[in-house]
Amino acid sequence: MSLYGNTRVGPTVGIDIGSNQIKVAEARPGRDGAQITALGVAPTPPGTVENDTIVNPELLGQAIKDLLRESRISTNKSVSSVSGQSSVVVRIIEMPKMTEEELDKTMQWEVERHVPFAANEVVMDFQAINRPVPVTDEQNMEVLLAVAQQDVINNHVKTLFAAGLEPIAIEVEQVAISRTLLDTPKDENNDSAVIINIGSEDTEIGIYQHGLLAFPRTIPIAGNTLTRALSDSFNITTEEAEQLKMDKAVIIPERVSLISNSTLIPGINGFQNDDTTGGFDIPAADDDIGFIPGLGFTDSPIQMPEDQPADNADPDFDIDLGGAQTTSIPLDFDLDISDNQAAANTVELEDSGINEASSKIEEITETNIFDAIAPSIMDLISEIRRSLDYYSGKFSSLPDTAIICGGTAKIKGLDQLMQNELGIPVKAAEPIKSVTISSNALSSGDVEEVAAIFPLSLGLAVRDMIGE
């Protein structure tokens, strides 16, 4: 996608609130395209976000306010995203073709059929999907249904108000992240690509066809899974394990086959499945239930109700998908990975020493680290491969390329390992190469170092500054 300036659009800050980190990016429209004038990242305060849900808006809001000040971000107009497997649902429903008025009446009933929570306690919106190459017959249409629990949206907006921000949109996460990673127009000849965003608690997969999201999936194996594996293997604190992962984790190709043969056995490693491939069950192609995190809300500024003070926000919003063209190929699974999974994944390998507690962090070698995290990495790759296979069965082709991002994507050699295992080209995300960076908060070296963690906040910030 090409970014361009829009004089009707003012400066905007994109807010990416993660379980471990808060990322912010300020964008301003310029003559030669979107200008990123500030970037910032800070730890998410403990106890403020649980299972992708904000539980302490006031404390989290103050942390965001501090980060904005430290990053020298001056605008208060914000675009953010919301996610959570238990509180946010986005589904693609195939329906007979009908008028907008007929669709409006029909979708009121569809909410009750497709969401796992009370229909009177949600905010929702829907939108017919128009593709360059339709995947339905002429008699049917695809409709995107987005639903979120009201309490989740309330806490999200309370957080933004506590940070002194004016939220102008809350957006679909996979759509936002693609803006700065897919530099292609939306036409029939466009290549397909998969974006693999390895977060703290979950890895989000989005496969894009003709520039539009065609297959989303969330896998509960991510950065914290590796951190727990290190913590359990070496009997060290989570903080020590996280630092060890960041400083010394590398892929060791010659040990991959040993790890793979020892761990990728159907039905173990914390997974319960009914087939012989291991991992999560994937439903038949005609199953219409699926999930992608995030929503797209109204473009109009979000207002606090006049009869309610800002410190007790309980806004009542209508959702507006804002023209986001997304599709969802359904996946249905319910899996909880406990803190003990990493320990269960640990296997004894000759001379590896990964089961022996070490009181001296400096004595832990790169080989030790790789042997501890490799089972989880291979589990993740196995699930990504199954997602690609499912997509291939639906669309008769694999994506042309894969892009990995998120903090864990910085592990040296991970892109090459995934390329070898998935059978398609894989590259690390370079989102900031598609925009002009002028950040006072980060040096050029810092910007390059943290490039992998900013795609979502950048995509949110430039929401109204890109060509469609």
Side-chain angles (χ1 to χ4, degrees):
M1 290 178 146
S2 60
L3 303 183
Y4 68 95
N6 187 335
T7 57
R8 295 173 299 173
V9 178
T12 305
V13 56
I15 310 288
D16 175 11
I17 303 172
S19 298
N20 284 6
Q21 290 182 322
I22 307 165
K23 285 80 68 177
V24 296
E26 182 184 59
R28 295 174 181 268
R31 179 177 301 177
D32 299 323
Q35 308 291 313
I36 305 302
T37 53
L39 293 169
V41 60
T44 302
T48 59
V49 179
E50 297 178 0
N51 298 321
D52 294 319
T53 301
I54 297 172
V55 296
N56 191 332
E58 292 75 20
L59 181 58
L60 182 58
Q62 184 59 52
I64 294 174
K65 179 183 288 188
D66 293 341
L67 175 59
L68 295 174
R69 183 182 64 254
E70 294 166 2
S71 304
R72 302 180 186 179
I73 292 177
S74 57
T75 181
N76 69 337
K77 308 289 185 182
S78 73
V79 178
S80 56
S81 61
V82 63
S83 62
Q85 294 191 54
S86 62
S87 56
V88 181
V89 175
V90 179
R91 293 175 180 170
I92 296 296
I93 305 170
E94 187 173 330
M95 306 176 64
K97 285 189 176 180
M98 60 185 70
T99 67
E100 291 186 8
E101 293 182 359
E102 292 171 332
L103 185 61
D104 184 63
K105 295 179 181 179
T106 301
M107 293 306 293
Q108 304 302 320
W109 298 100
E110 292 293 334
V111 173
E112 297 184 5
R113 292 183 56 230
H114 292 283
V115 300
F117 25 82
N120 62 347
E121 298 176 355
V122 303
V123 289
M124 60 85 71
D125 193 27
F126 57 88
Q127 180 180 319
I129 301 172
N130 298 313
R131 295 185 180 278
V133 181
V135 296
T136 62
D137 58 44
E138 295 182 357
Q139 303 301 318
N140 294 327
M141 62 189 296
E142 287 183 302
V143 178
L144 172 62
L145 171 66
V147 186
Q149 287 184 307
Q150 183 74 60
D151 288 346
V152 170
I153 302 302
N154 289 349
N155 281 346
H156 189 90
V157 176
K158 286 179 184 177
T159 300
L160 298 176
F161 280 128
L165 294 168
E166 179 184 342
I168 59 176
I170 303 175
E171 236 212 338
V172 174
E173 199 164 308
Q174 275 102 333
V175 173
I177 201 171
S178 70
R179 292 193 184 109
T180 50
L181 295 180
L182 300 181
D183 189 20
T184 51
K186 297 177 180 177
D187 59 43
E188 295 186 12
N189 298 319
N190 191 26
D191 294 337
S192 58
V194 54
I195 296 176
I196 302 166
N197 183 16
I198 309 173
S200 298
E201 295 295 336
D202 301 304
T203 294
E204 296 170 7
I205 299 174
I207 303 180
Y208 300 81
Q209 196 176 65
H210 312 302
L212 306 177
L213 184 64
F215 183 102
R217 188 183 179 194
T218 300
I219 299 173
I221 308 173
N224 286 350
T225 313
L226 308 186
T227 300
R228 287 192 293 267
L230 292 171
S231 176
D232 292 342
S233 296
F234 304 123
N235 193 27
I236 57 179
T237 67
T238 300
E239 291 75 16
E240 291 171 331
E242 179 68 20
Q243 193 63 47
L244 190 66
K245 180 183 70 175
M246 295 172 58
D247 293 343
K248 300 178 66 174
V250 296
I251 301 300
I252 304 178
E254 57 268 26
R255 298 191 67 80
V256 170
S257 60
L258 179 61
I259 296 290
S260 299
N261 293 336
S262 300
T263 62
L264 295 184
I265 303 173
I268 68 167
N269 300 337
F271 300 111
Q272 299 298 323
N273 52 278
D274 299 323
D275 58 20
T276 59
T277 61
F280 305 108
D281 293 331
I282 297 182
D286 58 354
D287 189 342
D288 66 354
I289 297 178
F291 167 81
I292 57 175
L295 297 171
F297 291 86
T298 178
D299 290 336
S300 303
I302 298 174
Q303 301 292 335
M304 181 67 64
E306 294 182 359
D307 59 348
Q308 196 166 26
D311 61 356
N312 188 27
D314 188 18
D316 183 13
F317 304 130
D318 291 327
I319 305 175
D320 179 2
L321 293 174
Q325 301 288 327
T326 68
T327 64
S328 173
I329 302 301
L331 293 168
D332 185 12
F333 59 87
D334 182 10
L335 177 68
D336 178 29
I337 297 182
S338 68
D339 289 340
N340 294 323
Q341 179 188 331
N345 282 348
T346 303
V347 292
E348 294 186 9
L349 298 172
E350 183 179 359
D351 297 328
S352 69
I354 63 175
N355 288 319
E356 298 179 4
S358 174
S359 60
K360 296 182 179 180
I361 303 298
E362 62 272 15
E363 294 180 0
I364 302 175
T365 68
E366 291 182 350
T367 298
N368 297 152
I369 294 170
F370 178 72
D371 287 350
I373 65 176
S376 297
I377 290 177
M378 299 309 294
D379 280 339
L380 174 60
I381 293 176
S382 179
E383 291 306 319
I384 295 171
R385 185 190 302 115
R386 297 183 78 238
S387 298
L388 298 183
D389 290 344
Y390 183 66
Y391 170 85
S392 176
K394 178 75 173 181
F395 294 94
S396 302
S397 66
L398 285 172
D400 297 292
T401 186
I403 302 168
I404 59 173
C405 57
T408 301
K410 295 190 295 180
I411 293 179
K412 185 178 180 180
L414 182 60
D415 53 350
Q416 186 61 51
L417 174 62
M418 285 191 170
Q419 179 168 301
N420 295 341
E421 297 292 324
L422 299 177
I424 60 175
V426 176
K427 63 180 181 180
E430 295 180 329
I432 57 178
K433 291 188 179 297
S434 61
V435 294
T436 301
I437 301 292
S438 176
S439 172
N440 294 321
L442 297 174
S443 68
S444 58
D446 291 333
V447 169
E448 182 177 353
E449 175 66 19
V450 300
I453 69 174
F454 278 103
L456 179 54
S457 57
L458 286 171
L460 292 166
V462 300
R463 177 177 184 265
D464 295 318
M465 304 177 197
I466 69 167
E468 296 294 340

